[in-house]
Amino acid sequence: MDITIHTCFLPHDDPDASVAFYRDVLGFEVRNDVGQGKMRWITVGPVGKPDTSILLAPPAVDPGLTEDERRTITEMMAKGTYGWILLASPDLDDVFAKVSSRDAEVVQEPTEQPYGIRDCAFRDPAGNLIRIQELR
């Protein structure tokens, strides 16, 4: 069986701010941007790696959600506990220096974790946790 992870989803509540973060802070390319206003679905990904994408999507638009579920999602996004992703780089210190110099919210500076990895963390404008792990 040959299966890859092609696209993962993160919510946004301000599509322009999210595009600016992923394009201008992380250096990703915008591959698709459909919809209008806050109802936009934006595909971004690392330059030169078209097989891996993040779809930034408006939260809680599934018609099957209840109002309580929508409220919970909105509250979790506001607290920064709803969405997260793990990225990786061979040069964590360089990535951290570049991202933190662009006014990204730093959650954790590069840290050697007791479980054998070294990583750092930021928040995107929607509150999603962006962890970046050092490739060794």
Side-chain angles (χ1 to χ4, degrees):
M1 191 172 341
D2 184 8
I3 299 174
T4 61
I5 296 173
H6 184 268
T7 304
C8 65
F9 296 80
L10 287 176
H12 72 68
D13 55 3
D14 181 337
D16 292 329
S18 290
V19 166
F21 178 81
Y22 286 92
R23 183 192 58 213
D24 304 336
V25 175
L26 292 184
F28 285 5
E29 62 185 2
V30 176
R31 298 179 179 153
N32 202 1
D33 188 345
V34 299
Q36 58 186 340
K38 289 193 168 205
M39 298 300 286
R40 288 166 54 194
W41 286 258
I42 305 155
T43 306
V44 298
V47 175
K49 298 183 179 176
D51 295 341
T52 305
S53 299
I54 299 172
L55 177 60
L56 304 168
V61 294
D62 185 322
L65 293 175
T66 66
E67 285 306 312
D68 284 344
E69 291 167 331
R70 283 188 177 82
R71 185 174 32 260
T72 297
I73 290 170
T74 301
E75 290 170 356
M76 290 179 73
M77 284 180 65
K79 290 172 37 180
T81 58
Y82 184 66
W84 70 281
I85 191 166
L86 177 61
L87 305 175
S89 172
D91 191 342
L92 184 65
D93 293 319
D94 180 59
V95 169
F96 181 80
K98 289 177 179 169
V99 173
S100 62
S101 73
R102 296 176 181 144
D103 294 328
E105 180 185 346
V106 176
V107 176
Q108 174 202 301
E109 295 188 7
T111 302
E112 191 71 40
Q113 301 293 351
Y115 39 88
I117 66 166
R118 185 168 181 263
D119 65 357
C120 64
F122 300 91
R123 286 214 190 280
D124 77 3
N128 298 307
L129 185 63
I130 312 298
R131 296 199 74 83
I132 304 173
Q133 178 180 330
E134 185 172 64
L135 292 175
R136 296 180 175 169

